């Protein structure tokens, strides 16, 4: 460390420690939801995701309706100048929608992160979780060994195959992983050592941002990790009705890859 950096550190302090300290009230807020969420039934826990999505749709509805009207006008008008004005208006509205959504996501973050953490707890503590079968559960049961149907119920197992490696879910977020999730959502860089749970950290901001219906990408360093992590984390997301895919399973420019990228409420590993 240079003398200048040492002097700055004395007067300003360590930046990473300051960032972590600033995030601790938010960590405590996440934990404040735990008691309430622990009391929910499995079906009530899953209903939280539907509730979050509805709140996001509600705050964006007026703007999205206006965008739809402008797009319809753009498709019918032959006035080139008017078309240009329309697309400028649409871009402004999209920016406004993004800002409104971002504000709401920040408000939802503590409860949404608590929902993900509680989900991981239930997969740790229950070999199977039985819920009322949704349409998505029924679709998954045809291709995923960890989801089976019993009448109108879906039974989720806490054991599955992750790219050839059989696993039984055994992870719950610690405070350091909550901090990492907050940092990623805020667009910061979070450095973590091997074994500190980077893969688990990613479940938090991925879930939160997938609620918008715009899709989420997680980029890994190689194809193997993308395939492993997508299979490893998938049931945590799928339990809440979010679809998961790894684009490395599909050839570039293929219809399957394009379909994966365009899917709403979708998490994609690459």
């Amino acid at each position: 460390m240079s003398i200048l950096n040492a002097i700055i550190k004395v007067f300003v302090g360590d930046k990473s420690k300051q960032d972590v300290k600033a995030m601790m009230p938010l960590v405590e807020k996440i934990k404040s939801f735990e008691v309430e969420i622990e009391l929910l039934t499995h079906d009530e826990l899953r209903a939280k995701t539907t509730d979050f999505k509805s709140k996001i749709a509600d705050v964006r509805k007026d703007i999205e309706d206006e965008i739809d009207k402008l797009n319809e006008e753009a498709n019918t008008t032959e006035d080139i100048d008017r078309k240009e004005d329309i697309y400028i208006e649409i871009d402004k509205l999209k920016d406004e929608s993004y800002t409104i959504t971002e504000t709401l996501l920040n408000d939802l973050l503590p409860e949404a992160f608590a929902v993900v953490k509680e989900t991981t707890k239930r997969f740790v503590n229950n070999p199977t979780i039985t819920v009322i079968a949704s349409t998505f559960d029924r679709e998954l049961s045809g291709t995923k060994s960890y989801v089976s149907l019993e009448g109108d119920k879906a039974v989720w197992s806490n054991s599955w195959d992750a790219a050839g490696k059989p696993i039984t879910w055994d992870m719950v977020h610690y405070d350091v992983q909550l901090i990492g999730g907050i940092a990623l959502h805020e667009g910061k860089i979070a450095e973590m050592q091997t074994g500190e749970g980077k893969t688990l950290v990613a479940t938090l901001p991925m879930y939160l941002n997938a609620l918008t219906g715009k899709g989420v990408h997680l980029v890994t360093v190689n194809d193997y990790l993308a395939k492993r992590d997508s299979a490893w984390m998938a049931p945590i997301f799928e339990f809440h009705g979010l679809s998961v895919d790894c684009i490395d399973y599909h050839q570039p420019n293929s219809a399957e890859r394009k379909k994966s990228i365009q899917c709403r409420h979708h998490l994609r590993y690459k």
Side-chain angles (χ1 to χ4, degrees), residues 22-31 106 109-110 178 182 186:
M23 292 178 191
M24 286 311 298
L26 197 50
V27 171
E28 293 304 319
K29 196 168 183 180
I30 294 167
K31 292 164 72 173
N106 291 336
L109 184 151
L178 297 178
I182 295 167
E186 292 180 349

Side-chain angles (χ1 to χ4, degrees), residues 49 53-54 56 60 136 207 209-216 237 240-244 262-268:
T49 299
K53 289 180 183 178
S54 295
I56 293 169
R60 297 193 309 197
F136 188 56
Y207 169 82
N209 286 274
L211 296 171
T212 65
K214 301 297 184 181
V216 178
F237 301 121
H240 289 283
L242 303 175
S243 57
V244 178
Q262 293 170 355
C263 186
R264 289 167 58 84
H265 298 298
H266 195 82
L267 300 108
R268 294 173 289 272

Side-chain angles (χ1 to χ4, degrees), residues 117-242:
K117 181 176 179 179
E118 177 62 22
T119 303
T120 62
K121 283 184 184 178
R122 298 200 186 189
F123 273 85
V124 167
N125 296 326
N126 299 280
T128 60
I129 298 175
T130 301
V131 292
I132 297 172
S134 66
T135 300
F136 188 56
D137 292 333
R138 296 184 183 280
E139 292 173 359
L140 288 175
S141 69
T143 57
K144 308 293 185 181
S145 62
Y146 46 85
V147 184
S148 59
L149 299 177
E150 294 182 0
D152 65 346
K153 303 291 185 182
V155 181
W156 288 72
S157 170
N158 74 343
S159 299
W160 53 85
D161 179 90
K165 179 182 179 181
I167 67 106
T168 296
W169 188 265
D170 62 355
M171 298 184 293
V172 177
H173 304 80
Y174 291 108
D175 286 2
V176 66
Q177 289 152 347
L178 297 178
I179 291 169
I182 295 167
L184 290 179
H185 174 69
E186 292 180 349
K188 296 183 172 71
I189 294 174
E191 181 180 9
M192 300 181 72
Q193 300 301 317
T194 300
E196 288 188 342
K198 292 185 289 294
T199 303
L200 186 61
V201 164
T203 59
L204 298 163
M206 288 186 77
Y207 169 82
L208 177 63
N209 286 274
L211 296 171
T212 65
K214 301 297 184 181
V216 178
H217 276 94
L218 186 146
V219 182
T220 57
V221 296
N222 58 53
D223 294 355
Y224 167 72
L225 288 178
K227 293 174 181 177
R228 184 201 69 178
D229 290 357
S230 64
W232 192 5
M233 303 293 119
I236 302 302
F237 301 121
E238 292 170 338
F239 184 73
H240 289 283
L242 303 175

